[in-house]
Amino acid sequence: MTATLIDGKAIAAGLRAEVAARVKSFHAKAGRLPGLTVVLVGDDPASEVYVRNKGIQTREAGMISDEIRLPGSISQAELLAVVRKLNEDDAVDGILVQMPLPKQIDANAVIAAIDPAKDVDGLHPVNAGKLAQGMKALTPCTPLGCMILLEKSGVKVAGSNALVIGRSILVGRPVAALLLAANATVTIAHSQSRDLAALCRQADIVVAAVGRPELVRGEWIRPGACVLDVGINRMPGEGGKSKLIGDVHFASAREVAGQITPVPGGVGPMTIACLLQNTLTAACWRSGIDPETV
Ligand code: NAD
């Protein structure tokens, strides 16, 4: 059996087009455009690429995109002052502080300083708490993307056994909360878990969010299972170029799985598309508009 590929690129393009159409409807109702501000500290090359792509896709969706670039030597107090100013700026619906931050900065303090209503990354403890309690919240983008991929691929989540590998606040925990809210029976595995292979063999849905290239082997996968590979591992490729490898051994897993995301082109493209959706949701809530009506 060869798995059906889940085409994250195409599903993300569809979601971006949907958001762009809804932005027009929001504009007609609110008389303004949603605005996203990304704060980039330092000059990490990977972050530069992400931020550039976020800017391009935000503008393509018809929203206002702003970037604030700050030196890597910035102090904690100075960065918090920038965040507070954005909290008070009425034209800003979404604030995203690009991670990772330099060593002298306490990333948790920065996340906690963002107005939860503008926390389009969904990482603020208020939003994480709401998600854990099954309340409406701004939800982390990659986990939201995983749920949309499952839905668009017709995967039955309710009643399924779902295994989430990884327990970060960015991916593992929120995706587990979303799967639970969708009535899956959820297991969370992490670096101290015993016998990952046995846990995998019981899972109808596997979400791998570890950051270890090809950790999950094809022989661990239950035949017909759906495998979402969140991992992005940059490895040396041919001709001095780097290539991206997932957390799943794709060649062996696709022989057993029912559906699988490739890396790249699977979960990755969903993240920015969901960031745009979150920005629109934040703009609606801040303007007293039900997001379902735009
Ligand atoms: P993280 O380092 O914060 O967390 C990794 C988790 O994996 C930890 O909870 C740890 O307990 C667990 N872990 C480590 N070794 C393990 C092992 N041997 N067995 C089981 N669990 C183990 O990473 P993260 O931020 O959650 O990101 C995970 C991966 O997803 C990375 O490759 C990252 O680049 C990628 N990622 C992709 C996207 C995207 O597609 N847009 C977004 C975020 C993260």
Side-chain angles (χ1 to χ4, degrees):
M1 174 170 162
T2 304
T4 305
L5 284 193
I6 299 178
D7 186 348
K9 238 172 141 174
I11 295 173
L15 180 58
R16 290 198 305 274
E18 205 179 282
V19 171
R22 293 177 60 212
V23 164
K24 286 189 182 144
S25 158
F26 173 82
H27 184 242
K29 284 196 173 170
R32 68 181 191 90
L33 289 171
L36 171 66
T37 299
V38 176
V39 180
L40 177 60
V41 183
D43 50 13
D44 177 61
S47 295
E48 289 270 357
V49 174
Y50 290 138
V51 168
R52 195 173 336 119
N53 286 338
K54 280 170 191 167
I56 292 168
Q57 294 186 23
T58 306
R59 283 186 289 278
E60 278 175 1
M63 301 197 256
I64 297 167
S65 162
D66 202 5
E67 270 169 42
I68 297 180
R69 289 171 175 267
L70 300 168
S73 58
I74 195 168
S75 72
Q76 170 96 3
E78 285 167 320
L79 181 54
L80 290 180
V82 170
V83 170
R84 277 191 217 105
K85 211 168 154 212
L86 292 172
N87 284 346
E88 283 155 21
D89 185 343
D90 234 10
V92 175
D93 294 293
I95 303 169
L96 187 148
V97 181
Q98 183 66 45
M99 304 288 163
L101 290 168
K103 285 192 300 287
Q104 75 276 16
I105 306 285
D106 175 358
N108 287 335
V110 174
I111 292 168
I114 297 172
D115 178 351
K118 299 187 176 189
D119 168 40
V120 282
D121 239 354
L123 297 177
H124 191 286
V126 164
N127 283 317
K130 283 185 175 174
L131 177 62
Q133 295 196 355
M135 294 162 70
K136 271 190 187 170
L138 289 169
T139 306
C141 303
T142 306
L144 200 54
C146 288
M147 298 308 290
I148 294 171
L149 290 180
L150 292 174
E151 188 199 324
K152 298 280 184 197
S153 309
V155 176
K156 194 171 176 298
V157 178
S160 68
N161 285 340
L163 174 68
V164 177
I165 316 176
R167 56 176 163 184
S168 71
I169 63 161
L170 186 63
V171 191
R173 281 170 208 247
V175 86
L178 288 169
L179 287 162
L180 182 62
N183 297 316
T185 302
V186 182
T187 304
I188 305 176
H190 47 77
S191 52
Q192 307 278 309
S193 297
R194 279 182 288 130
D195 206 349
L196 195 54
L199 294 173
C200 264
R201 284 190 190 106
Q202 293 171 11
D204 305 304
I205 297 170
V206 176
V207 182
V210 188
R212 304 265 155 123
E214 300 179 334
L215 172 77
V216 177
R217 315 299 300 180
E219 56 271 27
W220 300 1
I221 304 294
R222 182 179 188 149
C226 175
V227 179
L228 300 184
D229 189 352
V230 182
I232 301 179
N233 305 288
R234 204 169 283 278
M235 309 293 282
E238 277 165 30
K241 286 189 180 164
S242 65
K243 60 174 179 175
L244 298 183
I245 303 275
D247 288 343
V248 176
H249 187 268
F250 183 76
S252 59
R254 76 175 301 186
E255 296 304 318
V256 193
Q259 288 166 302
I260 189 166
T261 56
V263 175
V267 176
M270 294 303 291
T271 300
I272 298 183
C274 289
L275 173 68
L276 303 179
Q277 180 174 279
N278 275 353
T279 303
L280 177 61
T281 301
C284 286
W285 284 343
R286 292 187 63 247
S287 295
I289 294 170
D290 178 355
E292 295 195 359
T293 65
V294 300

